[in-house]
Amino acid sequence: MAYRILLVDDETDILEFVRYNLSKEGYEVYTATDGAEAVRTAAECRPHLILLDMMMPVMDGVQTCRALRALPATSGAIIVFLSALGEDESQLSGFDAGADDYITKPIKMTLLKSRVNALLRRVDDSAPESGIEISRERHTVMIDGTEIALPRKEFALFDLLYSQPGRLFTREEIYSHIWGSSVVVGDRTIDVHIRRLRCKIGDRHIVTVKGLGYKFQK
């Protein structure tokens, strides 16, 4: 199947140029010129990858990214900012909103295509786990029809692992995503949270990669 990509940018010349080149690679490409249109389009096309500008009318990139993460159709999509804003503050805002990566414009099309290809290799095309459903609004997980309420940090940790099945998240990545780089936590903090999650979610879904980190498996 062709991977679906959603491009979001208010500069139509850039939008058309990127759309044309990615379509030539065999991708199914959709476009939107503002954040609100992006959310509507994403709900319909369910993209695997979203390339998102930071500065846009109606909803800016950060607002749009948060809305896309809350949308069931795109909660697990790969979201990447493609923006001319390269300052650290802009990039941190993007990651805090739920982005997976941040690419600074201008970028050569050959390099952008290579980055897109690499990002899409993360996508697992197998059917989703039918026994698990996650609700970011209620901070709950459904396991075979049974609702499990999780404390905030446990939910954030499970949400991170669940967002990309099969991908290894290092301990450093987990600390950064869940606790932030400015917070000092004990060495065993992640292990304690993982142990509690396994008691509630089940052992087989959360895999330890010794000395490196953890990953979610279906």
Side-chain angles (χ1 to χ4, degrees):
M1 60 171 277
Y3 288 116
R4 296 180 297 278
I5 299 176
L6 174 61
L7 307 177
V8 190
D9 200 308
D10 62 326
E11 296 186 50
T12 55
D13 55 341
I14 293 177
L15 200 65
E16 178 56 27
F17 178 69
V18 177
R19 185 205 65 77
Y20 172 76
N21 279 276
L22 292 181
S23 295
K24 286 178 62 179
E25 295 293 301
Y27 297 121
E28 188 176 329
V29 184
Y30 300 82
T31 61
T33 55
D34 62 60
E37 183 186 2
V39 174
R40 292 193 301 270
T41 303
E44 297 174 359
C45 72
R46 305 179 69 89
H48 298 93
L49 170 67
I50 301 169
L51 294 177
L52 182 63
D53 191 20
M54 181 65 81
M55 300 298 292
M56 296 184 299
V58 185
M59 295 169 62
D60 65 23
V62 168
Q63 293 172 318
T64 304
C65 186
R66 293 189 192 281
L68 290 166
R69 278 287 175 240
L71 192 69
T74 52
S75 61
I78 300 171
I79 301 179
V80 179
F81 278 100
L82 179 60
S83 174
L85 298 177
E87 296 85 358
D88 289 349
E89 184 176 346
S90 297
Q91 297 192 34
L92 288 172
S93 296
F95 286 118
D96 287 343
D100 297 286
D101 204 350
Y102 196 109
I103 300 173
T104 303
K105 294 188 292 190
I107 182 173
K108 292 182 178 179
M109 183 50 62
T110 52
L111 181 55
L112 179 59
K113 288 190 290 188
S114 178
R115 293 285 292 273
V116 166
N117 292 339
L119 287 163
L120 286 171
R121 281 197 291 270
R122 301 179 186 176
V123 176
D124 183 357
D125 279 332
S126 61
E129 172 61 56
S130 59
I132 297 181
E133 296 180 16
I134 189 168
S135 171
R136 291 178 174 83
E137 291 77 16
R138 298 194 306 272
H139 276 220
T140 59
V141 176
M142 295 285 288
I143 305 291
D144 295 326
T146 301
E147 184 175 287
I148 299 173
L150 298 175
R152 187 165 61 90
K153 292 298 185 184
E154 286 180 33
F155 180 85
L157 176 55
F158 182 71
D159 189 23
L160 175 65
L161 299 176
Y162 183 80
S163 67
Q164 295 185 50
R167 181 197 162 184
L168 168 67
F169 286 89
T170 66
R171 298 176 68 87
E172 291 75 17
E173 285 181 290
I174 294 172
Y175 276 125
S176 177
H177 276 85
I178 307 304
W179 284 273
S181 57
S182 62
V183 178
V184 178
V185 295
D187 289 340
R188 310 307 298 175
T189 299
I190 292 179
D191 301 329
V192 171
H193 281 72
I194 289 289
R195 185 168 65 250
R196 290 173 178 167
L197 272 178
R198 282 178 169 148
C199 290
K200 300 169 183 177
I201 306 299
D203 288 340
R204 73 183 182 89
H205 292 298
I206 300 175
V207 178
T208 301
V209 181
K210 191 173 182 180
L212 295 176
Y214 301 93
K215 62 183 178 178
F216 174 86
Q217 72 175 13
K218 297 177 179 180

